[in-house]
Amino acid sequence: MKRLKRRRVVASAGALIAAAMLSLGSTSAVATTGGHSAAEHERLRVMTLNIFYGGDDLDLKTGDFCAKPNGCPQTLVQIEHAITQARADIVGVQEPERDVERIASALGWYGSDRAHVMSRFPIIDPPGGNGLYVYVEVAPGRVVAVANTHTPSDPYGPYLVRDGGTVKQVLDLERKTRLPAVQDLIEVLPSLARKGIPVMLTGDFNSPSHLDWTPAVAAERPEVPYAVKWPVSSALAEAGLRDTYREAHPDPVAVPGFTWTPGSPEADAHEVFDRIDWVLTAGPSRTIDSTVVGEKGGPDVGVGVSPWPTDHRGVVSTLDVVPAVPQVLVAPATRRVTIGGNLPVTYHAPGRQGERVELRDAKGRAVTSRPTSSRTDGTVTLSAKGLRRGAYDVALVSRGKVVSKAPVWLYPAGEPTKVSVGKSSYKQGESIKVDWSNAPGMGLDWVSVYACPGGKCQDTSEYLVYTYTGSAIEGQAKIGPKSIGADSSWPLAPGRYVVRLLPDDGLVSVAQSAMFTVTK
């Protein structure tokens, strides 16, 4: 989608699901580091789908924005229907706006609003994933790694080409706007593949592929006046990630596979159609097939749905993979824990006698513990009764040493999400210090500044400058000249302002506003 304003700037993936667990009770003695033994091959259908502002913001009857104050739920039902018709096993979702777990629940699946990934298999947050990828347990005790991304949409490269831009101008734009958004993925995902872990990367890349803008295509399509080695697709390919659609359909002249757009309220008056939604793979996997999922009768559509509920077509690829045994890990079911409640914890352990999972306080003291009973894979439930508010670690202990740990935060029942600023008044041009706690921790939570002219603050659609939280439950950031939107809004003019915290790229504030003023 070509959103004209705010758009995710960094790749995001990696989460956990409350119900996720590695095979309960498994006592497999296979290796405990990433890799695979003589595990059987698994066949997976992996899908990417941009669902258009949460999946309920498109009116199926008019093809325009939904005018109902609570959205159009029937459109969301069609999103679910599209996933079912595609016979997908794993789906990376773009523009979910807090609806991944909602859709997953309707399908009877696992889902993560942090990772923007859903699956009919359990999903696990590996420590060290740092929000970039998840593990999906596709076979007992064996996993694949899945990442999902959504790069910035504006300015859009094909529009620059259409309007007379040169190859150099296009490449400069892409290297500045979209290439930085995939650098973390390029640094992390290939290393997983080298360890023998099958890797899948789904996304709306808002960029064509170098595999499509070839001299042969330029000779056939007027909207492609010259070949372009688009930087995002080229960099991902050089990192070892393979384009499953082009593996299945290597001729871009015969099978363009356009995903943008089957029709959109935000389409340009002189639209340029292209293939910008991809399923990429690396590691021990082989592409069997790949097809476009979209409106019935649409170009190159292999799975047709009517009416089609979003402004992007999806892609579903069938892969043959050898799932891997993960590294030793411990994964809490949630990073926000209610005091007095319970916390399920998934683990993959060495399988030695005396191993246990502990909840440790800020001083490293175990406040509650459960044994693994020498199992390699399983889940235990830790109690949070009688504990204090604050930051803790879930730790897997083997032979007296912590072999894996992951952070969690404990809050009293009913404690609200909080956001605050460092001080009540800032000089013009001075960066705004923002703190937050008990945040939803979703993939695209963001903190933003709004003007309050005459003491009346603007609604949440009129943001000025903002930054993403990195899905942190508690954290701190500075909003200033390098923040998103600063090109047009910074320095803030003298006046009164408010900072809000909004979850998952949505426009509904979940925290009490923090007020401040800017003076000359």
Side-chain angles (χ1 to χ4, degrees), residues 244-515:
T244 60
Y245 191 81
R246 276 290 161 251
E247 286 188 321
H249 308 282
D251 186 349
V253 175
V255 188
F258 296 151
T259 60
W260 177 261
T261 174
S264 171
E266 296 183 319
D268 195 274
H270 303 285
E271 192 52 68
V272 180
F273 302 103
D274 222 306
R275 187 176 69 91
I276 61 176
D277 303 84
W278 314 328
V279 176
L280 308 181
T281 187
S285 68
R286 180 172 62 91
T287 300
I288 304 299
D289 190 22
S290 184
T291 192
V292 174
V293 186
E295 75 282 15
K296 284 187 176 180
D300 299 325
V301 169
V303 178
V305 175
S306 182
W308 181 245
T310 176
D311 67 339
H312 283 244
R313 299 182 185 98
V315 176
V316 63
S317 296
T318 303
L319 306 176
D320 180 89
V321 307
V322 180
V325 176
Q327 77 274 21
V328 170
L329 62 83
V330 63
T334 179
R335 293 176 298 146
R336 291 198 301 174
V337 184
T338 300
I339 295 174
N342 292 319
L343 175 63
V345 179
T346 297
Y347 62 85
H348 175 71
R352 305 181 182 116
Q353 289 186 349
E355 291 175 342
R356 62 192 183 274
V357 176
E358 298 178 345
L359 185 64
R360 294 187 164 198
D361 64 17
K363 296 182 178 181
R365 300 173 299 193
V367 295
T368 184
S369 175
R370 289 293 304 275
T372 65
S373 302
S374 301
R375 292 175 176 170
T376 301
D377 302 298
T379 188
V380 298
T381 300
L382 301 177
S383 172
K385 294 180 180 179
L387 300 180
R388 295 183 177 182
R389 180 190 186 281
Y392 291 76
D393 281 325
V394 173
L396 176 61
V397 179
S398 179
R399 292 180 176 174
K401 295 183 178 180
V402 174
V403 293
S404 181
K405 66 179 180 178
V408 295
W409 287 262
L410 270 60
Y411 299 101
E415 178 169 324
T417 300
K418 298 177 182 178
V419 62
S420 62
V421 291
K423 53 186 180 180
S424 59
S425 181
Y426 289 86
K427 294 289 186 180
Q428 188 173 20
E430 187 179 0
S431 295
I432 313 302
K433 178 186 173 184
V434 181
D435 291 87
W436 64 87
S437 65
N438 202 10
M442 297 181 181
L444 293 178
D445 291 356
W446 54 299
V447 287
S448 183
V449 174
Y450 300 80
C452 300
K456 184 177 180 180
C457 299
Q458 302 293 327
D459 66 27
T460 53
S461 65
E462 297 298 329
Y463 41 83
L464 296 173
V465 59
Y466 64 96
T467 187
Y468 287 103
T469 69
S471 75
I473 303 298
E474 291 192 1
Q476 183 181 99
K478 286 188 176 181
I479 296 180
K482 295 184 179 180
S483 299
I484 308 166
D487 288 349
S488 58
S489 302
W490 196 266
L492 299 174
R496 193 163 180 78
Y497 296 87
V498 65
V499 171
R500 295 178 176 133
L501 190 151
L502 308 97
D504 210 25
D505 240 4
L507 298 175
V508 179
S509 178
V510 294
Q512 184 176 357
S513 301
M515 307 288 295

Side-chain angles (χ1 to χ4, degrees), residues 36-37 85 93 102 117 145 172 194 230 233 240 257 272 290 352 380 396 409 469:
H36 63 84
S37 59
Q85 288 297 102
V93 183
R102 177 180 172 183
V117 171
D172 287 347
R194 287 193 294 269
W230 293 93
S233 63
V272 180
S290 184
R352 305 181 182 116
V380 298
L396 176 61
W409 287 262
T469 69

Side-chain angles (χ1 to χ4, degrees), residues 167 213-216 218 224-230:
V167 173
W213 282 54
T214 64
V224 180
Y226 41 68
V228 178
K229 189 178 180 181
W230 293 93

Side-chain angles (χ1 to χ4, degrees), residues 40-286:
E40 294 183 1
H41 291 238
E42 297 288 336
R43 188 158 292 192
L44 301 175
R45 287 176 66 85
V46 182
M47 184 177 184
T48 186
L49 186 63
N50 182 315
I51 66 173
F52 190 74
Y53 297 118
D56 59 359
D57 209 13
L58 184 69
D59 190 319
L60 294 177
K61 293 182 179 180
T62 66
D64 206 340
F65 284 100
C66 180
K68 299 178 181 179
N70 295 320
C72 293
Q74 187 58 39
T75 308
L76 201 58
V77 172
Q78 278 298 98
I79 294 288
E80 298 158 9
H81 179 60
I83 293 170
T84 300
Q85 288 297 102
R87 295 182 292 112
D89 298 309
I90 299 169
V91 183
V93 183
Q94 301 88 49
E95 295 187 31
E97 296 193 3
R98 300 183 295 169
D99 276 342
V100 168
E101 292 185 17
R102 177 180 172 183
I103 296 169
S105 178
L107 293 170
W109 283 18
Y110 304 90
S112 170
D113 282 324
R114 184 187 182 204
H116 298 161
V117 171
M118 64 179 72
S119 174
R120 67 184 184 88
F121 302 106
I123 301 174
I124 298 167
D125 177 17
N130 298 322
L132 287 176
Y133 63 91
V134 295
Y135 283 153
V136 177
E137 189 196 18
V138 300
R142 288 175 169 78
V143 301
V144 299
V146 182
N148 180 69
T149 191
H150 194 179
T151 71
S153 61
D154 305 301
Y156 186 49
Y159 289 168
L160 177 59
V161 175
R162 177 200 62 193
D163 297 338
T166 65
V167 173
K168 181 180 185 305
Q169 289 173 326
V170 171
L171 293 177
D172 287 347
L173 170 66
E174 294 297 310
R175 289 166 182 152
K176 176 183 177 181
T177 305
R178 273 166 282 277
L179 188 57
V182 297
Q183 288 301 325
D184 285 349
L185 294 168
I186 289 171
E187 292 175 6
V188 171
L189 298 185
S191 65
L192 294 176
R194 287 193 294 269
K195 294 175 182 177
I197 300 173
V199 173
M200 293 96 198
L201 171 60
T202 59
D204 168 6
F205 291 84
N206 279 305
S207 172
S209 171
H210 69 289
L211 300 174
D212 296 352
W213 282 54
T214 64
V217 172
E220 295 289 335
R221 287 177 54 196
E223 62 272 29
V224 180
Y226 41 68
V228 178
K229 189 178 180 181
W230 293 93
V232 167
S233 63
S234 298
L236 291 167
E238 290 166 5
L241 287 148
R242 310 185 306 275
D243 187 325
T244 60
Y245 191 81
R246 276 290 161 251
E247 286 188 321
H249 308 282
D251 186 349
V253 175
V255 188
F258 296 151
T259 60
W260 177 261
T261 174
S264 171
E266 296 183 319
D268 195 274
H270 303 285
E271 192 52 68
V272 180
F273 302 103
D274 222 306
R275 187 176 69 91
I276 61 176
D277 303 84
W278 314 328
V279 176
L280 308 181
T281 187
S285 68
R286 180 172 62 91

